[in-house]
Amino acid sequence: QVRLVESGGGSVQAGGSLTLSCAVSGYTGRAVYLNWFRQAPGMEREGVASVFTGSGNTYYDDSVKGRFTISLDNAKTTINLQMDSLKPEDSAMYYCATAPRSTRRGVPKKSDVDFWGQGTQVTVSS
Protein backbone atom coordinates (compact mmCIF):
# COMPACT_ATOMS: atom_id res chain seq x y z
CA GLN A 1 0.00 0.00 0.00
CA VAL A 2 1.42 3.36 -1.05
CA ARG A 3 1.63 5.97 1.67
CA LEU A 4 2.77 9.58 1.42
CA VAL A 5 3.23 11.60 4.61
CA GLU A 6 4.01 15.31 4.43
CA SER A 7 5.47 17.45 7.19
CA GLY A 8 7.00 20.88 7.64
CA GLY A 9 4.22 23.27 6.79
CA GLY A 10 3.55 26.38 8.85
CA SER A 11 3.29 30.14 8.86
CA VAL A 12 6.02 32.53 7.81
CA GLN A 13 6.38 36.16 6.81
CA ALA A 14 7.00 37.17 3.23
CA GLY A 15 10.64 36.72 2.30
CA GLY A 16 11.05 33.85 4.73
CA SER A 17 11.77 30.17 4.17
CA LEU A 18 10.16 26.82 4.90
CA THR A 19 11.12 23.24 4.13
CA LEU A 20 8.53 20.57 3.41
CA SER A 21 9.28 16.86 3.58
CA CYS A 22 7.43 13.85 2.23
CA ALA A 23 8.11 10.27 3.23
CA VAL A 24 7.08 7.80 0.53
CA SER A 25 6.50 4.14 1.32
CA GLY A 26 5.07 1.17 -0.54
CA TYR A 27 6.08 2.44 -3.99
CA THR A 28 8.93 0.20 -5.08
CA GLY A 29 10.47 -0.98 -8.30
CA ARG A 30 10.18 1.26 -11.34
CA ALA A 31 11.25 4.87 -11.57
CA VAL A 32 8.58 7.41 -10.79
CA TYR A 33 7.99 11.15 -10.62
CA LEU A 34 7.80 12.41 -7.02
CA ASN A 35 6.00 15.72 -6.93
CA TRP A 36 4.78 18.68 -4.95
CA PHE A 37 1.43 20.19 -5.86
CA ARG A 38 -0.40 23.04 -4.17
CA GLN A 39 -3.95 24.25 -3.98
CA ALA A 40 -5.13 27.62 -2.73
CA PRO A 41 -8.79 28.17 -1.76
CA GLY A 42 -10.99 28.39 -4.85
CA MET A 43 -8.11 27.52 -7.17
CA GLU A 44 -7.12 24.45 -9.16
CA ARG A 45 -4.47 22.14 -7.75
CA GLU A 46 -1.24 22.91 -9.60
CA GLY A 47 2.11 21.20 -9.93
CA VAL A 48 4.98 23.08 -8.30
CA ALA A 49 8.06 20.85 -8.49
CA SER A 50 8.99 17.34 -9.48
CA VAL A 51 11.93 14.94 -9.42
CA PHE A 52 12.23 11.81 -11.56
CA THR A 53 13.76 9.03 -9.46
CA GLY A 54 15.28 7.32 -12.49
CA SER A 55 17.52 10.19 -13.56
CA GLY A 56 17.34 12.67 -10.69
CA ASN A 57 16.16 15.34 -13.11
CA THR A 58 14.13 18.10 -11.49
CA TYR A 59 11.35 20.25 -12.89
CA TYR A 60 9.72 23.45 -11.65
CA ASP A 61 6.72 25.57 -12.42
CA ASP A 62 7.75 29.02 -13.65
CA SER A 63 6.14 30.63 -10.60
CA VAL A 64 8.69 29.05 -8.24
CA LYS A 65 11.84 28.74 -10.36
CA GLY A 66 14.85 30.17 -8.58
CA ARG A 67 13.04 30.17 -5.21
CA PHE A 68 12.09 26.53 -4.57
CA THR A 69 14.38 23.51 -4.64
CA ILE A 70 13.21 19.91 -4.70
CA SER A 71 15.56 17.18 -3.54
CA LEU A 72 15.51 13.41 -3.22
CA ASP A 73 17.37 11.40 -0.60
CA ASN A 74 19.74 8.56 -1.54
CA ALA A 75 17.19 5.90 -0.60
CA LYS A 76 14.68 7.59 -2.94
CA THR A 77 12.04 7.47 -0.22
CA THR A 78 11.96 11.09 0.93
CA ILE A 79 11.59 14.29 -1.02
CA ASN A 80 12.11 17.74 0.38
CA LEU A 81 10.96 21.10 -0.92
CA GLN A 82 13.10 24.01 0.20
CA MET A 83 11.05 27.17 -0.26
CA ASP A 84 12.90 30.49 -0.09
CA SER A 85 11.83 34.07 -0.72
CA LEU A 86 8.26 33.09 0.01
CA LYS A 87 5.44 35.32 -1.20
CA PRO A 88 1.85 35.63 0.04
CA GLU A 89 0.71 34.04 -3.23
CA ASP A 90 2.61 30.88 -2.24
CA SER A 91 0.05 30.32 0.53
CA ALA A 92 -1.76 27.04 -0.14
CA MET A 93 -2.19 23.46 0.94
CA TYR A 94 0.84 21.59 -0.37
CA TYR A 95 0.48 17.95 -1.42
CA CYS A 96 3.06 15.30 -2.09
CA ALA A 97 2.17 13.00 -4.99
CA THR A 98 3.50 10.16 -7.10
CA ALA A 99 3.12 9.91 -10.88
CA PRO A 100 4.28 6.92 -12.93
CA ARG A 101 4.66 9.16 -16.00
CA SER A 102 4.41 12.75 -17.14
CA THR A 103 2.29 13.54 -20.18
CA ARG A 104 3.97 16.90 -20.70
CA ARG A 105 7.42 18.42 -20.42
CA GLY A 106 8.19 19.35 -16.86
CA VAL A 107 6.03 18.85 -13.78
CA PRO A 108 3.36 16.17 -14.33
CA LYS A 109 -0.28 17.13 -14.66
CA LYS A 110 -2.73 16.48 -11.86
CA SER A 111 -4.25 13.76 -14.06
CA ASP A 112 -0.89 11.94 -14.15
CA VAL A 113 -0.91 11.44 -10.37
CA ASP A 114 -1.78 8.04 -8.93
CA PHE A 115 -1.33 8.67 -5.19
CA TRP A 116 -1.67 11.76 -2.99
CA GLY A 117 -0.58 12.67 0.50
CA GLN A 118 -2.93 14.32 2.97
CA GLY A 119 -1.42 17.79 2.53
CA THR A 120 0.32 20.34 4.72
CA GLN A 121 -0.65 24.00 5.02
CA VAL A 122 1.72 26.82 4.12
CA THR A 123 0.70 30.38 5.00
CA VAL A 124 2.79 33.39 4.02
CA SER A 125 1.82 36.74 5.51
CA SER A 126 2.74 40.11 4.02
Side-chain angles (χ1 to χ4, degrees), residues 2-6 20-37 46-61 69-81 95-102 106-109 112-117:
V2 177
R3 191 161 179 248
L4 307 170
V5 180
E6 302 100 334
L20 306 182
S21 294
C22 175
V24 182
S25 60
Y27 208 117
T28 59
R30 67 187 185 280
V32 66
Y33 290 86
L34 299 180
N35 315 281
W36 286 100
F37 282 72
E46 60 177 3
V48 173
S50 179
V51 56
F52 184 60
T53 62
S55 62
N57 287 347
T58 58
Y59 307 91
Y60 298 92
D61 184 77
T69 304
I70 190 170
S71 60
L72 177 66
D73 74 337
N74 289 337
K76 299 183 181 181
T77 58
T78 301
I79 54 171
N80 294 312
L81 186 68
Y95 297 90
C96 181
T98 57
R101 70 190 65 80
S102 178
V107 180
K109 297 178 182 177
D112 295 326
V113 171
D114 53 359
F115 295 100
W116 295 96

